[in-house]
Amino acid sequence: MPRRREIPKRDIPADPIYQSPLVSKFINCVMSDGKRSTAERIIYKSFDIIKEKTGDDPVKVFKKAIDNVKPSLEVKSRRVGGSNYQVPVEVNPNRRLSLSIRWLVGFAMQEKLANEFMDAANLRGGAVKKREDTHRMAEANKAFAHYRW
């Protein structure tokens, strides 16, 4: 975390097929060991499966899935008077997006990615359950919200 000034965000170029920077960001998150072509193949094949199963635009389903997984609250641990409290705090919009992408990738294996997108778009699946658990934890610890700083 820089102390002097705010670091400018770099612009991510849009992906070549769907012209969406969100898809490009997701490809970057799926990519491991610098194997971009493998990550692109995984994403685009899952988009083809979505188009085949739903007949809908896969990018629209993907954006809806991302929006359904974004958390609005999370808990942070604060140490007050020798004990730790789980304090609910609002999530920064950039962190919201990165958390939702990370959760979707984490809960979806390569061949199950399309199913996870469709489940998240319909408010089901592991990533949506993770968001619900996070919100439930924040709600349960609402009494400690006055420790927020």
Side-chain angles (χ1 to χ4, degrees), residues 76-81 83-87 141 144 147:
K76 291 203 173 189
S77 189
R78 294 279 183 237
R79 187 166 177 87
V80 177
S83 57
N84 288 326
Y85 295 109
Q86 298 287 326
V87 180
N141 290 295
F144 305 121
Y147 290 127

Side-chain angles (χ1 to χ4, degrees), residues 22 56-70 100 104 116-124 128 131:
L22 185 60
D56 204 4
D57 182 27
V59 176
K60 191 170 88 172
V61 173
F62 172 68
K63 285 183 181 177
K64 187 174 179 185
I66 292 284
D67 288 339
N68 285 343
V69 175
K70 283 182 183 176
S100 64
L104 277 170
E116 188 67 29
F117 285 155
M118 288 187 283
D119 284 346
N122 294 324
L123 294 173
R124 294 178 302 195
V128 174
R131 183 198 63 175

